[in-house]
Amino acid sequence: MVNNWTGELIYEGKAKRVYRVNDEFLVMEFKDEVTAFDGARKEHAPSKGRLAAAQTVFLMGLLGRYGIRNHLVDWDGDRKILVRGLRMIPIEVIVRNYAYGSFLKRMPLMKPMTKFSKPIVEFHLKSDELHDPLITMDDIIEAGLANWGQINEIINTALRVNEVLGNYMVSRGLTLVDFKLEFGSDGSNNLVLADELSGDTMRVLINGRHLDKELFRRGASAMDLVKSYEEMNKLLGIPLNT
Ligand code: ATP
Ligand code: TYD
């Protein structure tokens, strides 16, 4: 699809660099770095970029086979993926199956890891300065970030993603606690799932033990996190090159 896997660097975030290939495509390069607490803790993590790229490619591929439209086009087999460039909706969509993380901070009446009667979908404004505050659907409408049709489609897609990923994880002996999605729209105004699906953006347990970035948030070293991502890839059945 592309032969030089590069282009003009248009954005550098905490986890990835984004390059513009042309009007249609972007290259996203997963960095060998891990950050937590909005970048306050940051460490070099050799091989993490490739492992997180492989997770994203595998899981987006799985969702694609279930008809969930996403931005993934190709993978260089290492740290870079080719994606469709989208107009991003500046919202983080979080789906939760169990009480954990910031949910428990705002709802301390529930015990950690209580399973919800049904998955919770919530919206956060994508803003590091404001620490991604929880927002309502009316906030989204009033701020003109999305319309009701898009909000409904986001909720339905997020729940479908949860069903497909959750079932797959269970089939591999894993528990999907919660995860974060981002969406954008393409030139024909189709809603498209974007960004990444990796241990950085989801909580995944094996027998109650974290395989995801929570380890680093709780003080584990970057090297231990990388080992854990290797284990996650093995448990998910992710080949090194697909
Ligand atoms: P965070 O780490 O909190 O997710 P960030 O902005 O630092 O935020 P990175 O993952 O480092 O995130 O950077 C990737 C950027 O690319 C994000 O701003 C994301 O919204 C954006 N993005 C993801 N997919 C697409 C796409 N298909 N088209 C355009 N932009 C995209
Ligand atoms: P959440 O419990 O809201 O946040 P915190 O990490 O502050 O406890 O996180 C829910 C899920 O969403 C979790 O799997 C991590 C993911 N997530 C991201 O990928 N990026 C983010 O900026 C946030 C806030 C969460």
Side-chain angles (χ1 to χ4, degrees):
M1 192 60 104
V2 285
N3 42 31
N4 60 357
W5 289 96
T6 187
E8 181 202 352
L9 178 67
I10 55 168
Y11 180 80
E12 176 153 4
K14 297 189 292 296
K16 306 188 250 6
R17 289 185 194 90
V18 182
Y19 303 86
R20 191 198 314 281
V21 176
N22 54 36
D23 284 352
E24 218 178 328
F25 299 114
L26 304 175
V27 162
M28 289 194 163
E29 178 186 29
F30 288 73
K31 300 203 263 186
D32 278 343
E33 248 164 38
V34 53
T35 67
F37 314 116
D38 291 326
R41 182 171 179 216
K42 178 171 159 180
E43 271 183 42
H44 184 55
S47 297
K48 178 186 171 263
R50 180 177 50 79
L51 292 163
Q55 291 163 358
T56 298
V57 169
F58 183 82
L59 296 174
M60 291 276 184
L62 176 69
L63 295 176
R65 289 196 290 285
Y66 281 87
I68 298 169
R69 200 187 295 123
N70 66 71
H71 70 164
L72 183 73
V73 179
D74 203 358
W75 181 34
D76 74 347
D78 190 18
R79 292 192 295 118
K80 289 179 179 173
I81 59 174
L82 181 72
V83 302
R84 261 168 232 293
L86 303 171
R87 254 177 304 115
M88 294 301 288
I89 302 172
I91 294 172
E92 303 206 330
V93 180
I94 292 181
V95 182
R96 301 181 187 275
N97 295 302
Y98 296 84
Y100 212 102
S102 68
F103 174 87
L104 290 170
K105 287 197 189 120
R106 69 169 194 263
M107 183 45 75
L109 302 177
M110 283 184 80
K111 283 209 182 86
M113 283 304 285
T114 309
K115 193 169 200 295
F116 294 125
S117 59
K118 59 183 179 53
I120 292 179
V121 179
E122 62 190 47
F123 302 100
H124 293 249
L125 183 67
K126 207 172 148 60
S127 163
D128 281 349
E129 305 89 80
L130 301 178
H131 307 293
D132 301 336
L134 185 68
I135 54 173
T136 66
M137 292 187 249
D138 286 323
D139 296 350
I140 294 171
I141 296 293
E142 291 299 329
L145 303 181
N147 60 40
W148 283 115
Q150 289 171 312
I151 292 177
N152 276 325
E153 201 178 340
I154 287 172
I155 294 172
N156 291 335
T157 307
L159 289 173
R160 184 80 184 115
V161 169
N162 186 47
E163 212 169 81
V164 174
L165 293 187
N167 287 341
Y168 185 73
M169 300 274 176
V170 165
S171 78
R172 311 293 299 193
L174 302 168
T175 304
L176 180 60
V177 177
D178 53 29
F179 59 90
K180 183 264 304 181
L181 301 176
E182 291 185 31
F183 292 88
S185 51
D186 67 13
S188 314
N189 279 332
N190 295 308
L191 186 81
V192 182
L193 177 63
D195 207 51
E196 67 177 282
L197 280 171
S198 75
D200 280 16
T201 61
M202 55 179 69
R203 291 191 174 105
V204 180
L205 307 181
I206 174 97
N207 301 323
R209 177 168 60 87
H210 279 276
L211 293 169
D212 56 83
K213 201 170 92 172
E214 191 69 20
L215 292 168
F216 185 75
R217 291 191 198 99
R218 292 186 187 180
S221 69
M223 281 318 293
D224 283 343
L225 186 72
V226 168
K227 278 195 205 116
S228 172
Y229 280 19
E230 278 167 359
E231 186 183 358
M232 190 194 302
N233 287 24
K234 204 179 278 176
L235 288 167
L236 285 172
I238 299 178
L240 271 184
N241 286 288
T242 52

